[in-house]
Amino acid sequence: MTTAQLTNPYQHYVYAYPHKTAYRGLPDRPTLRSLWAEEPKNALSLYLHIPFCEVRCGFCNLFTRIGAPDGLTGAYLDALERQATAVREALGDSDDVRFATAAFGGGTPTFLTAAELTRLADIAEHRMGADLRAVPLSVEASPATATADRLAVLAERGTTRLSLGVQSFVDSEARAAVRPQRRADVEAALARVRDARIPVLNIDLIYGIDGQTQDTWRHSLDAALAWRPEELYLYPLYVRPLTGLDRRRTGPDPAWDEQRLRLYRAGRDHLLAHGYTQQSMRMFRRADAPPQGADDYACQTDGMIGLGCGARSYTAGLHYSFDYAVDMHEIRGIIDDYVSRPAADFARAEYGRRMDADESRRRHLLQSLLQADGLPLDDYRARFGGDPADDFAPELARLADRGWLTDDTPGVLRLTPAGLAHSDAIGPGLFSPAVRAAMAAYERK
């Protein structure tokens, strides 16, 4: 991590490490049975990925396609069921397998019809053995697809958290982000979510949109707060390669960086003043919200089972998935390949990245340090038998020199408020040289 690497505050959102662009084809295609044989399986996380959306937002680089030809969602669920059967068999003795959390993500899981959502939950329960009503279950939705019949299915099947991608309550800003929606429709969707009585509502908002000001940003924050959401995520806008907004890229933009930092600070301070606590750079939780279990990075821990062609799985020694793309044509090809696979094809890992001891330490440092609560030193020592100050002395020294690191809480290494604001520079700055080189060599598609 050099000083130059820390100059741009908006480099990457580190929601997983290593990044998927560091994955490569696995020549040996190890069997899932061998990968999971020695892994603890009594507190697994389950993630089911639905790669469909009704529209692709201009900022989105997720693995998803717009719409689905007749029969494709059904064929996708058929493949998901075949994969679930193969994965569950690979996990072995049912008495040893327990799921502690579950999530349906995408894409937009609520792109599926109510009947298809029922089938999705059945796959998680009957094929994988997850008791959805007994564990935290998080589901992502869009305003247009958060219909009463879909929400009724999700509520009945045990959903404890519904995340709604609103992005802005200002219609012109939604259009600027290529998220065509009307505030009236968003408000109607929020009313349906509250009527469904799902315990935790999360609202996603974005700052840094063309034409957005501090006043319009405050307007969106207040509109969201009127619904008293248990959680709010505040995301900086990114313009990524191969996305709808990519044509607007003109290189580094210090003025835009400063604008996003101003809006971040304004949003953070506004939510703190309204009874929310900060969990990470992006996540804020209402102080009286019901406990939801582990959050932000809960699904990034070892013991993650991902089903679907855009999902990742994590063992201690290997992170693996299917191929990755952003371009629509490439995504369609990967989905078509996925739905045509026989069950036997799901019994091996094809793309991934091996995790050695150094990468495991970096991952733990990243995931802990980017949380507001920081890194408990005793936890690190218990896991790795050493101290982060010994393993990452130069990196931590640079953060401290910038005033981004504090040890004001005994036994905990934490980012200062200024450090937390620069999480999207700090995280990438902690990537290993090998991961950085693999990401740089990745051919975008």
Side-chain angles (χ1 to χ4, degrees):
M1 180 198 307
T2 66
T3 300
Q5 288 169 337
L6 296 175
T7 300
N8 177 1
Y10 297 105
Q11 298 179 30
H12 296 293
Y13 170 23
V14 184
Y15 58 89
Y17 180 80
H19 192 274
K20 206 170 182 180
T21 54
Y23 291 13
R24 294 294 185 271
L26 301 170
D28 56 337
R29 297 183 70 240
T31 65
L32 303 190
R33 184 176 292 276
S34 67
L35 291 175
W36 287 98
E38 302 301 322
E39 295 288 313
K41 295 185 280 286
N42 62 340
L44 298 171
S45 296
L46 179 63
Y47 177 80
L48 276 65
H49 179 256
I50 302 300
F52 305 108
C53 289
E54 77 274 14
V55 66
R56 187 166 195 178
C57 303
F59 50 83
C60 178
N61 71 339
L62 297 178
F63 186 94
T64 189
R65 64 164 288 165
I66 301 170
D70 287 347
L72 182 57
T73 54
Y76 184 84
L77 290 172
D78 290 343
L80 195 69
E81 189 158 7
R82 293 195 299 273
Q83 184 188 10
T85 301
V87 171
R88 187 62 189 79
E89 182 179 339
L91 291 176
D93 191 339
S94 61
D95 292 338
D96 297 333
V97 178
R98 296 285 186 278
F99 289 95
T101 65
F104 301 160
T108 308
T110 48
F111 180 90
L112 300 178
T113 65
E116 289 170 333
L117 284 171
T118 296
R119 187 179 177 198
L120 183 68
D122 284 344
I123 291 170
E125 292 194 335
H126 304 323
R127 294 299 181 186
M128 292 303 298
D131 187 349
L132 297 182
R133 295 175 181 86
V135 302
L137 170 60
S138 179
V139 181
E140 297 170 6
S142 67
T145 60
T147 58
D149 59 339
R150 291 175 170 104
L151 293 170
V153 169
L154 295 177
E156 193 277 328
R157 299 308 288 262
T159 301
T160 56
R161 177 182 183 271
L162 195 288
S163 181
L164 200 67
V166 173
Q167 320 313 348
S168 177
F169 283 86
V170 179
D171 290 356
S172 61
E173 291 179 3
R175 288 193 298 272
V178 195
R179 173 80 182 203
Q181 63 189 16
R182 297 185 308 121
R183 176 172 176 174
D185 296 329
V186 171
E187 300 277 1
L190 286 164
R192 293 191 296 270
V193 174
R194 283 311 198 195
D195 287 345
R197 298 189 181 280
I198 293 170
V200 173
L201 164 64
N202 172 71
I203 296 176
D204 288 344
L205 297 176
I206 286 181
Y207 53 92
I209 301 170
D210 280 355
Q212 191 176 50
T213 66
Q214 290 212 209
D215 287 341
T216 62
W217 177 228
R218 173 73 68 89
H219 179 77
S220 279
L221 291 166
D222 286 338
L225 287 171
W227 292 95
R228 300 199 74 243
E230 285 72 22
E231 294 177 3
L232 275 159
Y233 270 74
L234 308 184
Y235 288 94
L237 179 67
Y238 274 93
V239 176
R240 300 177 175 99
L242 304 180
T243 63
L245 295 179
D246 185 30
R247 63 185 180 278
R248 303 182 193 179
R249 290 199 310 155
T250 58
D253 189 342
W256 188 37
D257 290 343
E258 185 53 42
Q259 181 210 21
R260 284 180 287 179
L261 279 173
R262 282 196 307 272
L263 294 174
Y264 160 78
R265 294 182 186 115
R268 174 199 63 195
D269 294 348
H270 196 57
L271 295 187
L272 293 178
H274 281 76
Y276 285 75
T277 60
Q278 186 168 16
Q279 307 294 308
S280 69
M281 174 186 165
R282 286 165 171 75
M283 182 186 179
F284 295 81
R285 175 178 287 137
R286 211 177 72 206
D288 61 346
Q292 178 63 17
D295 1 272
D296 238 2
Y297 289 86
C299 67
Q300 310 302 337
T301 56
D302 296 336
M304 173 76 181
I305 300 286
L307 301 179
C309 58
R312 312 162 197 245
S313 297
Y314 304 125
T315 68
L318 179 71
H319 292 188
Y320 63 93
S321 67
F322 294 97
D323 199 5
Y324 170 72
V326 175
D327 176 78
M328 272 297 164
H329 178 75
E330 297 285 349
I331 289 173
R332 288 173 181 170
I334 294 171
I335 293 173
D336 290 345
D337 171 72
Y338 176 83
V339 302
S340 69
R341 288 173 176 245
D345 277 12
F346 293 117
R348 293 178 177 272
E350 298 186 5
Y351 289 85
R353 189 166 187 88
R354 303 277 180 187
M355 296 293 289
D356 60 20
D358 176 70
E359 296 291 18
S360 295
R361 288 192 295 269
R362 285 183 184 276
R363 180 167 175 252
H364 185 79
L365 177 70
L366 277 163
Q367 291 175 332
S368 301
L369 200 57
L370 297 183
Q371 299 299 297
D373 287 343
L375 170 63
L377 298 180
D378 285 346
D379 183 29
Y380 187 93
R381 294 175 188 125
R383 288 171 181 261
F384 304 111
D387 211 281
D390 297 327
D391 296 333
F392 301 102
E395 294 94 332
L396 295 178
R398 290 188 186 98
L399 296 181
D401 289 345
R402 289 219 158 201
W404 291 352
L405 197 63
T406 179
D407 56 1
D408 60 356
T409 302
V412 178
L413 202 59
R414 283 192 310 111
L415 295 179
T416 62
L420 210 57
H422 288 80
S423 292
D424 286 7
I426 291 171
L430 293 171
F431 288 6
S432 72
V435 164
R436 252 196 296 272
M439 291 173 64
Y442 174 78
E443 295 184 11
R444 295 191 181 100
K445 57 184 179 181

